[in-house]
Amino acid sequence: MRIQYNKLWKILIDKNMKKVDLRDAAEISSNTIAKLSKNEPVRMDVLLKIAITLDCKVEDLFETVKEEQ
């Protein structure tokens, strides 16, 4: 299983926000934004900060997908 943050990017589009806007509003690092962009895991407390900033649930930000073998 792997993580995809496509749901997060769709929320940003709907809210007319850029990644840098999210970084500033949620007070997260540019390194975290880079990890999200690469679909790498990030800490749950960071996802919680993003969810609070975007007024959504943590589970609205990502999905898990089964890796093809």
Side-chain angles (χ1 to χ4, degrees):
M1 291 280 222
R2 62 186 177 90
I3 297 173
Q4 276 188 342
Y5 296 102
N6 293 341
K7 291 171 126 185
L8 168 59
W9 309 132
K10 288 177 186 174
I11 292 171
L12 288 184
I13 290 168
D14 291 344
K15 292 185 178 280
N16 198 27
M17 290 179 74
K18 296 181 181 180
K19 292 177 183 178
V20 73
D21 299 328
L22 175 63
R23 183 196 69 200
D24 294 342
E27 298 180 351
I28 56 177
S29 69
S30 51
N31 186 41
T32 298
I33 295 291
K35 284 183 174 185
L36 292 167
S37 297
K38 296 176 191 173
N39 289 319
E40 295 177 357
V42 296
R43 293 188 338 241
M44 185 58 73
D45 64 316
V46 173
L47 291 174
L48 185 58
K49 285 173 91 171
I50 293 170
I52 291 168
T53 300
L54 297 176
D55 192 30
C56 65
K57 298 177 185 176
V58 172
E59 56 267 25
D60 295 335
L61 302 177
F62 66 93
E63 62 186 349
T64 56
V65 292
K66 193 172 187 178
E67 291 188 49
E68 295 179 20
Q69 297 179 11

